[in-house]
């Protein structure tokens, strides 16, 4: 049990996909304009990571080594398609605002990275916890970035006004803001970890 | 006291009797008349903007220097004051007090110190601050004031923004009798300052000449209803072209090194300015054009670099 | 005027909606291969080639396979498979026919098999042009144009970035900001400069 928790928590802190490994940055920057979008993207990606981890781990002994990457991609693409269709049916507004970044989960390096580095070498239960940890770590990073951008750029948090006299800086919900926030956050994290 | 060894710069150091400090203060002095004219035209509120902007820049520079354990006396080189002055010159006269504060902090922190301070920055710090403000608070950054003596004192447009219904004579534009940014309106005093800098060989004519020449040529060809009917004098005198071409595109750190490179840089700025003015949604394109070309400077330098005499391959660097 | 529309597509994907600076597609190679100018240039060429070819191929897949059989929901799956196998084929072909070219381009081809810029342009094409344009050949023209010029815009920004990063080597960047963080700050500044092009009308 302790080992499983370790697999889970490493994705959130020590090997956080966004801040530590700098993986999956494209969707992180593109959809983090509001907390709702960030959360939606995080949950969708978590579903795909866990799902593909389970299937790949279950059939890992049947996949020939040479064509494993194409096999992984097919499995991942299947889960992405499921997410796409579910989102379109039940959350059309979210699906609209995430746009092409829902199908783009298929080329998210976190997903393929976990399949290659973990699920193809470990058992199902471990892979579930690994996938959950990575997914939660990714979601947490997305929520942090999108909260910063939403507060500074729109003056709201999850749609609620922060302070009446605050005049939001539009830049933060536009493209340059995403690059600025991620650059400063990465620098800040480097600074803190160097200090330790 | 201070020596020129304070600036550690990857560019070739200026090899003359001039110290960086001296140059900075000469540039500041050459800019002052145009700023005073702006204060005279738009009233004391613009003096407030200028002072706040300079103070914000100086204070953030000192804070950053202390944080990085550098000698805070570096502040005396005048570069932060110049950045603050140029930033204020690029702001509309009636902005709320916190606009120049934010602009100054962004200019110094994100435009300059994050790269390692004077001599290391890739982009012109004052323009970084201005672009940040323009994108963040577009309403404040496009609310202009008329000159003090005009009947409707607030909310007007710059001449560039309403070129269709023109109500300015060339003389008005030349003297600064119209709405605009604080430091860009009084063309005659800007030109006087620029002449001093040219005469003292602090700036060379390559960038301003190619920049302004390209703008005028392209406006003449494409700016009118038919080819070769554009009003190029209007595009020279209205907006920030003179301020940008003489005082911001020529910034020592963010311009190319060679003559050929400077001319390429100037032409690039000119083309982009005209394209943004005539086709973009912003009425003014000078600052975006210079920022864009700042990003290209390392590539320009790479391809116009003088070959080392006797070197075997073109790859050898003269550094 | 089709020529006009094509020109507008080109300007749009190079400057206004640049794939890197505004759509955030292809950030991994942008950060990873931008330390030196020459590799950046080859990377850009490889991406441009693959983007153009993928645009054409996925157009064919969509028009001749997905639409006639009403299986558009397989778009994600089929596109990624077709693109990945195409890149693999090109890689093998170059390896056999021109080892010199392979040495210059091979590693980049391998890197962009699952690049989000390449897959992204295919998905964008299908959203923007495949469903709306009645004439399939016109759709092909639009897709190929968008693919090619998206690659050009990608290369342009990658080159600017590599030039700047070569210069940054000599700069006294604060310790924690070195490498990736400062690269993002530079990208932020470039993205602001590119905002000047927003709202172009021709």
């Amino acid at each position: 049990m302790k080992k499983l928790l370790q697999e889970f928590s490493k994705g959130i802190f020590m090997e956080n996909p966004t801040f530590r490994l700098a993986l999956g940055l494209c969707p992180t920057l593109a959809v983090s304009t509001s907390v709702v979008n960030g959360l939606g993207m995080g949950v969708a990606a978590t579903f795909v990571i866990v799902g593909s981890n389970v299937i790949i781990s279950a059939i890992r002994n049947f996949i020939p080594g040479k064509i494993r990457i194409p096999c992984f991609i097919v499995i991942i693409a299947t889960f992405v398609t499921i997410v796409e269709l579910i989102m379109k049916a039940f959350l059309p507004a979210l699906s609209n605002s995430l746009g092409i970044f829902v199908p783009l989960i298929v080329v998210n390096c976190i997903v393929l990275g976990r399949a290659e580095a973990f699920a193809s070498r470990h058992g199902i239960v471990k892979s579930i916890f690994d996938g959950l940890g990575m997914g939660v770590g990714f979601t947490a990073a997305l929520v942090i970035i999108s909260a910063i951008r939403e507060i500074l750029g729109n003056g709201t948090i999850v749609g609620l006004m922060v302070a009446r006299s605050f005049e939001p800086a539009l830049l933060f919900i536009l493209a340059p803001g995403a690059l600025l926030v991620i650059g400063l956050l990465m620098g800040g994290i480097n600074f803190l970890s160097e200090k330790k | 006291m201070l020596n020129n060894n304070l600036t550690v710069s990857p560019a070739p150091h200026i090899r003359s009797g001039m110290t960086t400090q001296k140059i900075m203060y000469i540039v500041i002095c050459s800019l002052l008349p145009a700023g005073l004219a702006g204060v005279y035209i738009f009233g004391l509120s613009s003096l407030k903007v200028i002072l706040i902007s300079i103070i914000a820049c100086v204070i953030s520079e000192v804070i950053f220097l202390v944080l990085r354990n550098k000698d805070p006396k570096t502040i005396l080189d005048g570069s932060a004051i110049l950045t603050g002055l140029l930033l204020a010159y690029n702001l509309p006269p009636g902005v709320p007090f916190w606009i120049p504060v934010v602009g100054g902090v962004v200019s110094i922190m994100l435009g300059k110190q994050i790269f390692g301070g004077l001599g290391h920055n890739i982009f012109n710090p004052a323009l970084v601050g201005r672009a940040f403000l323009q994108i963040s608070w577009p309403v404040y950054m496009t609310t202009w004031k008329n000159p003090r003596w005009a009947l409707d004192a607030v909310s007007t447009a710059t001449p560039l923004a309403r070129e269709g219904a023109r109500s300015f004579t060339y003389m008005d534009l030349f003297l600064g009798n119209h709405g605009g940014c604080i430091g860009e309106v009084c063309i005659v005093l800007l030109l006087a300052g620029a002449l001093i800098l040219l005469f003292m060989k602090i700036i060379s004519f390559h960038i301003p000449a190619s920049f302004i020449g390209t703008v005028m040529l392209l406006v003449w060809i494409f700016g009118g209803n038919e080819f070769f009917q554009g009003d190029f004098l209007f595009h020279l005198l209205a907006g920030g072209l003179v301020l940008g071409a003489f005082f911001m595109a020529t910034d020592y750190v963010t311009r190319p090194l060679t003559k050929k490179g400077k001319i390429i840089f100037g032409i690039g700025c000119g083309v982009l300015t005209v394209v943004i003015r005539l086709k973009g949604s912003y009425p003014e394109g000078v600052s975006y054009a210079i920022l864009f070309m700042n990003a290209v400077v390392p590539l320009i330098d790479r391809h116009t670099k003088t070959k080392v005499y006797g070197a075997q391959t073109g790859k050898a660097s003269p550094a | 005027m089709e020529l006009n529309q094509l020109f507008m597509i080109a300007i749009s994907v190079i400057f206004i909606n640049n794939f890197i600076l505004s759509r955030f597609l292809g950030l991994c190679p942008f950060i990873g291969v931008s330390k030196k100018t020459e590799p950046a240039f080859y990377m850009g060429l490889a991406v441009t080639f693959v983007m153009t070819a993928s645009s054409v191929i996925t157009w064919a897949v969509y028009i001749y396979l997905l639409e006639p059989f009403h299986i558009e929901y397989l778009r994600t799956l089929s596109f990624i498979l077709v693109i990945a196998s195409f890149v693999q084929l090109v890689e093998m072909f170059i390896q056999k026919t021109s080892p010199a070219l392979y040495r210059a381009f091979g590693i980049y081809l391998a890197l962009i098999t699952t690049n989000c810029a390449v897959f992204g342009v295919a998905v964008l094409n299908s959203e923007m042009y495949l469903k709306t344009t009645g004439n399939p050949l016109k759709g092909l023209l639009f897709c190929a144009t968008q693919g090619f010029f998206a690659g050009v815009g990608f290369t342009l920004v990658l080159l600017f970035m590599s030039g700047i990063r070569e210069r940054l080597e000599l700069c006294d960047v604060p310790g924690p900001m070195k490498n990736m963080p400062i690269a993002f700050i530079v990208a932020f500044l470039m993205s602001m400069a590119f905002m000047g092009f927003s709202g172009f009308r021709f």
Side-chain angles (χ1 to χ4, degrees), chain B residues 1 9 14 27 51 80 83 87 90 95 142 181 183 195 230 250 276 281:
Chain B
M1 257 199 43
S9 130
I14 308 131
V27 175
L51 291 179
T83 300
L87 173 69
N90 277 294
V95 290
T142 48
C181 293
L195 274 181
T250 52
I276 295 173
S281 61

Side-chain angles (χ1 to χ4, degrees), chain B residues 111-234:
Chain B
K112 186 168 135 195
Q113 289 295 348
I114 211 160
F115 292 100
L118 181 64
H120 299 265
N121 49 306
I122 307 286
F123 297 87
N124 185 318
L127 289 178
V128 167
R130 183 199 143 106
F132 186 96
L133 296 173
Q134 170 93 54
I135 297 168
S136 292
W137 296 282
V139 177
Y140 288 122
M141 291 298 287
T142 48
T143 306
W144 310 99
K145 271 172 100 174
N146 263 339
R148 278 185 297 138
W149 44 83
L151 289 174
D152 48 342
V154 278
S155 72
T156 166
T158 61
L160 275 175
R162 53 168 188 198
E163 204 196 336
R166 193 172 306 161
S167 57
F168 304 96
T169 63
Y170 288 131
M171 207 51 180
D172 282 341
L173 294 172
F174 191 58
L175 295 175
N177 183 17
H178 61 90
C181 293
I182 297 171
E184 72 179 21
V185 288
C186 190
I187 302 292
V188 57
L189 290 180
L190 280 175
L191 284 177
L195 274 181
I196 295 173
L197 294 188
L198 281 170
F199 183 71
M200 294 183 75
K201 295 212 163 71
I202 287 178
I203 58 173
S204 70
F205 67 91
H206 301 90
I207 292 174
S210 54
F211 190 167
I212 293 174
T214 310
V215 170
M216 289 174 75
L217 181 72
L218 289 179
V219 166
W220 181 51
I221 300 176
F222 298 108
N225 296 326
E226 281 172 48
F227 286 136
F228 303 107
Q229 284 196 342
D231 188 347
F232 52 86
L233 263 181
F234 173 77

